[in-house]
Each structure stands twice: as structure tokens, then as C-alpha cells.
Amino acid sequence: QVQLVESGGGSVQAGGSLRLSCAPSGSVFSIGTMGWYRQAPGKQRELVATITSGSDGNYADSLKGRFTISRDNAKNTVYLQMNSLKPEDTAKYYCNANDIYYKSSGLTYRTVELWGQGTLVTVFS
């Protein structure tokens, strides 16, 4: 089975930066759109940004200019660079991936969608 593994979360002072990474485990050879979502305590999960396999990015309007999504297709890894962080950015950040093709025991499989376990980002003032 393939899983998404996130890293890079932590605690940072307001105005600081963090870079999140997400990569799949297993023998993945192709992934479609990847993205980041976040969920703050007591709130619904919301879109942060997505990026297609061709590196076309899409952002939540409120985050444009501070957050940058990128990906390395050779590593099947997606990144989220977060700058000028604010306390309201505090949330658990989840990686999402679509159309994941991978090999297992010589066979090719496709998973429609995967979510990571989430990585916590805490911004203190």
C-alpha cells in the first residue's frame, strides 16, 4: 500500500517561515494533482494550494503571495513554502494526491486519491 508522508511542520514565531514536504512511500511512478489543505481547531478543512503534474498552481485567495506550492516530479514530492506566517495559519496541514500509479509485486495499481496523516504547524506571536 502507498501512503503519503508529510514532514516539516513545527512551531515558529509570527513572521517566520516553514517548508512542508510530502512524498509517497512505495514504488510510485506517477501522480496527478497534488495539494495541501489545512484544518484549524474547530474549523473545517480548507484548501491551501494545489499543483498539477505540469506544475500549474492554484491557491486559496487569502494565501496568495505568502505561500508557494511546488513539486519535484522525479521525486514525486510536493512542497509548501510558507512565509510571513501568522498565528491564524496555525493548523494541521494535510497533503493530498490524486491518480497515483504504483507498482507492487510486479503489478501496476492506481489509487484515485490519498491523504497524508497531517503535520502540525503552530505560529505563535
Side-chain angles (χ1 to χ4, degrees):
Q1 291 293 334
V2 174
Q3 295 180 329
L4 294 177
V5 181
E6 299 124 330
S7 61
S11 295
V12 63
Q13 192 168 19
S17 298
L18 282 175
R19 189 192 194 206
L20 306 183
S21 300
C22 170
S25 62
S27 300
V28 173
F29 60 92
S30 177
I31 303 179
T33 297
M34 302 181 78
W36 292 95
Y37 293 75
R38 69 184 184 183
Q39 187 167 18
K43 295 188 178 182
Q44 290 187 328
R45 191 173 296 189
E46 63 176 2
L47 168 73
V48 174
T50 60
I51 187 167
T52 67
S53 57
S55 293
D56 291 323
N58 176 60
Y59 297 87
D61 288 341
S62 62
L63 300 177
K64 288 179 181 177
R66 294 195 299 123
F67 288 15
T68 302
I69 191 169
S70 61
R71 66 188 287 171
D72 182 336
N73 287 334
K75 297 179 180 179
N76 291 312
T77 300
V78 63
Y79 305 96
L80 184 69
Q81 179 67 42
M82 305 184 293
N83 297 329
S84 302
L85 283 162
K86 304 175 181 180
E88 51 263 43
D89 294 318
T90 294
K92 199 164 190 180
Y93 284 70
Y94 295 89
C95 178
N96 173 269
N98 296 271
D99 289 325
I100 305 105
Y101 289 85
Y102 64 99
K103 290 189 178 293
S104 178
S105 301
L107 300 176
T108 298
Y109 295 89
R110 173 183 179 245
T111 295
V112 175
E113 185 178 38
L114 278 178
W115 287 91
Q117 292 296 310
T119 185
L120 185 62
V121 171
T122 303
V123 184
F124 57 92
S125 56

